[in-house]
Amino acid sequence: MVQVDPRPQTGDTVTSVVGTGSDTRNKGLSGNSVGLLGSSVIGISTVAPVYCLTSTLGPTVSKVGLQMPAVFLAGFLPMLLVAFAYRELNKAVPDCGTSFTWSVKAFGPRIGWMCGWGLVIATIIVLSNLAGVATSFFYLLLGELTGNPAVAALDGNKVVHVLTCLAFIAVATAISYRGMTATKGVQYALVGLQLAVLAVFIVMAVIKARAGEFAGSLDFSWTWFDPFAVESFSAFTAGLSLSIFMFWGWDTCLTVNEETEGSKQTPGRAALLAMVVLIGSYLLTAVAAQMFSGVGDKGPGLGNPDTADNVFATLANPVMGTVLGVLLFVAVLASAAASLQTTFIPVARTVLAMSAYEALPPSFARIHPRFRSPGKATVAAGVATGVFYAVMTFLSENVLVDTIYALGLMICFYYAITAFACAWFFRRELRNSTRDLLFKGVFPALGGVVLTAVFLKTLIDMWNPAYGSGSSVLGIGSVFIIGVGLLLVGFLIMLVMQRRSPGFFRGEVLTRSTPAMVVEE
């Protein structure tokens, strides 16, 4: 049957979709707005592949040397296993709350609420970082185009930097506010540009490496894909943590499931397609960059600590020449800007779902009557991002850096819970077939175990003040304090909401029942 939700929404009638024990709610989003290609593009865009590569190639090489391609593959494996979990859960419960909704149904309201908080706070951190990166590359690109170092130096002015950053956040918020149609159109152009420029870079790097134009160039070797060749387990786990971060964001495909054509099947397929494109791009770029630059710690070598935070800025001209090299700067800016815009999608829709199920104040469940988007949740995410970045920038750049380092903890936290939620949610179906056993049980559980291990190892490493900026409080690394502190803040907010919305926390709104959902529209 279909029950009417008594809480009215702006310009909308919201119904509870109930079938065979399911109790998820239609939240009024614009249905059938995104297809398979659009959903995949949104997932790729959120990951920001070009930005991830320019900022991660150097640090990864510094940890694992020539085994960078092997570590990228190792980081892909748990993400793929978790993607199977997302796909199976989405088939049963296609809800924009994704990790929050599924973990509530599997483990109850408190674990589910904290899982949703992990996604929300991780996204806010990423949004602030992406805005800062977009700002930096904006002035770097202007400096390249004008040939004026003073223009590029404007990024070093805190007031100018923060104001520009807030402008980027405002534009991204406005586009996301206008719904999936506006979002999809922008992303086709930005993602297409990224992948095209990356393809040109890969081809030219390989050609010049084989021609021996750079003294540090290397011949390709299949041994680069051997994870057992990494010098130590500690180095391997450090590289693995970086690799996992590079894949974060693909699950945005699932958060638009209520707005996707074929909401049960398409989002899961889009997530897997996005993952394949990402791992292909990462491996080809890693191999091409190693062949051209090698892993030395001088000049354009990938192991040079002076260029590790922006490898493409160093390789643009040597690989692509002066004219085409500018395109690489444009691609990094486009990558950061595109991801900034799409990263609003998961946080806004998670907040929408938490509000719709009474886990957050009901005002966040309002849907814009024209754009059919979670308007208030989107604006709230934009404001939170802008305030967070501005305060952290002026308060302490070390704190801002350490907050970004704490991001990996949040990612592993909510991905692992979601993976385990899949195995538990389908526990009664695992004997139905070999496929159910593997894709609903074994694979998700393995992904959860790996991410839990990375979570615990990261937690231990964070205790050391040397992790991150080197700051500490009473001898404890500030990254540890920030990471654990943000989780505790979520726990305290949960206690407040428990008093305001006792029904949700008593399991009366979104139950622990696990049958497959029958959608009635």
Side-chain angles (χ1 to χ4, degrees):
M1 67 178 179
V2 179
Q3 298 177 348
V4 177
D5 184 346
R7 298 171 307 139
Q9 305 298 320
T10 303
D12 236 356
T13 298
V14 179
T15 60
S16 295
V17 183
V18 182
T20 324
S22 181
D23 44 14
T24 54
R25 291 173 174 169
N26 177 3
K27 301 162 198 69
L29 294 166
S30 178
N32 299 322
S33 298
V34 186
L36 176 62
L37 178 60
S39 183
S40 300
V41 165
I42 288 171
I44 294 168
S45 174
T46 306
V47 175
V50 177
Y51 159 65
C52 283
L53 285 166
T54 192
S55 61
T56 309
L57 286 173
T60 305
V61 164
S62 70
K63 300 294 183 183
V64 301
L66 289 170
Q67 309 317 123
M68 176 168 58
V71 171
F72 282 176
L73 276 175
F76 171 71
L77 180 59
M79 290 293 99
L80 179 63
L81 297 176
V82 173
F84 289 139
Y86 272 74
R87 183 186 66 179
E88 298 303 320
L89 285 166
N90 182 76
K91 286 181 182 178
V93 187
D95 188 274
C96 72
T98 58
S99 293
F100 160 74
T101 303
W102 301 331
S103 54
V104 169
K105 293 180 72 66
F107 299 131
R110 290 166 184 81
I111 293 178
W113 200 98
M114 287 302 299
C115 184
W117 170 257
L119 186 153
V120 169
I121 195 63
T123 308
I124 294 297
I125 294 172
V126 168
L127 281 169
S128 64
N129 184 41
L130 286 168
V133 170
T135 299
S136 297
F137 270 92
F138 173 71
Y139 284 110
L140 185 62
L141 176 61
L142 286 182
E144 287 287 320
L145 293 175
T146 61
N148 188 348
V151 175
L154 286 174
D155 186 55
N157 184 309
K158 278 190 178 182
V159 174
V160 173
H161 177 91
V162 170
L163 289 176
T164 308
C165 185
L166 293 178
F168 273 112
I169 293 172
V171 171
T173 303
I175 296 173
S176 296
Y177 185 85
R178 294 178 63 85
M180 291 308 303
T181 302
T183 295
K184 183 174 63 175
V186 172
Q187 293 308 316
Y188 279 136
L190 294 179
V191 171
L193 172 64
Q194 288 183 63
L195 296 181
V197 174
L198 202 58
V200 173
F201 172 84
I202 291 167
V203 171
M204 296 187 73
V206 171
I207 291 174
K208 291 191 174 183
R210 292 174 64 85
E213 293 191 16
F214 173 58
S217 296
L218 301 172
D219 292 329
F220 170 78
S221 173
W222 286 107
T223 60
W224 295 350
F225 292 87
D226 180 9
F228 298 102
V230 179
E231 291 184 358
S232 68
F233 181 72
S234 177
F236 178 79
T237 55
L240 184 64
S241 180
L242 289 166
S243 178
I244 288 174
F245 166 74
M246 291 180 68
F247 290 100
W248 181 80
W250 57 267
D251 51 309
T252 301
C253 299
L254 283 300
T255 62
V256 296
N257 48 21
E258 295 185 37
E259 299 153 274
T260 303
E261 298 173 3
S263 59
K264 287 189 176 183
Q265 303 290 340
T266 303
R269 293 170 179 169
L272 292 176
L273 177 59
M275 293 284 281
V276 170
V277 173
L278 289 168
I279 187 60
S281 301
Y282 289 167
L283 289 178
L284 289 172
T285 304
V287 168
Q290 282 191 179
M291 287 180 65
F292 179 82
S293 298
V295 294
D297 57 3
K298 304 294 183 182
L302 296 180
N304 188 340
D306 296 330
T307 61
D309 61 340
N310 188 0
V311 168
F312 286 158
T314 304
L315 297 183
N317 289 342
V319 173
M320 301 177 67
T322 304
V323 177
L324 291 179
V326 174
L327 287 178
L328 201 51
F329 288 97
V330 174
V332 176
L333 175 59
S335 182
S339 183
L340 173 64
Q341 193 259 307
T342 52
T343 302
F344 275 99
I345 294 174
V347 65
R349 281 149 185 78
T350 298
V351 169
L352 167 67
M354 294 179 76
S355 178
Y357 297 120
E358 302 174 29
L360 285 176
S363 61
F364 291 113
R366 293 174 184 164
I367 298 296
H368 192 283
R370 176 185 173 189
F371 302 127
R372 313 289 289 181
S373 67
K376 186 169 183 179
T378 301
V379 172
V383 171
T385 300
V387 171
F388 176 84
Y389 190 81
V391 170
M392 291 297 102
T393 300
F394 286 111
L395 179 65
S396 171
E397 290 190 5
N398 285 341
V399 173
L400 182 63
V401 169
D402 288 341
T403 302
I404 296 168
Y405 271 100
L407 174 64
L409 200 68
M410 309 300 167
I411 294 173
C412 291
F413 177 77
Y414 86 84
Y415 272 163
I417 291 176
T418 307
F420 289 130
C422 180
W424 186 251
F425 185 90
F426 293 111
R427 64 191 183 279
R428 296 187 181 95
E429 302 179 23
L430 299 184
R431 295 183 181 180
N432 290 352
S433 66
T434 301
R435 183 200 177 282
D436 284 349
L437 176 63
L438 292 177
F439 289 98
K440 295 180 178 180
V442 175
F443 291 161
L446 282 176
V449 167
V450 172
L451 291 173
T452 300
V454 175
F455 174 88
L456 294 174
K457 181 65 167 62
T458 303
L459 200 62
I460 293 170
D461 291 343
M462 284 178 173
W463 185 273
N464 188 338
Y467 194 97
S469 68
S471 302
S472 65
V473 178
L474 300 176
I476 303 172
S478 62
V479 180
F480 179 92
I481 293 174
I482 291 170
V484 174
L486 288 173
L487 291 177
L488 288 176
V489 168
F491 180 77
L492 293 175
I493 296 175
M494 183 184 72
L495 294 180
V496 173
M497 289 306 305
Q498 188 169 313
R499 293 179 63 86
R500 296 185 59 179
S501 303
F504 169 78
F505 290 94
R506 287 198 297 261
E508 298 170 357
V509 180
L510 187 61
T511 70
R512 299 188 184 206
S513 58
T514 58
M517 184 176 77
V518 178
V519 179
E520 300 180 27
E521 298 179 348

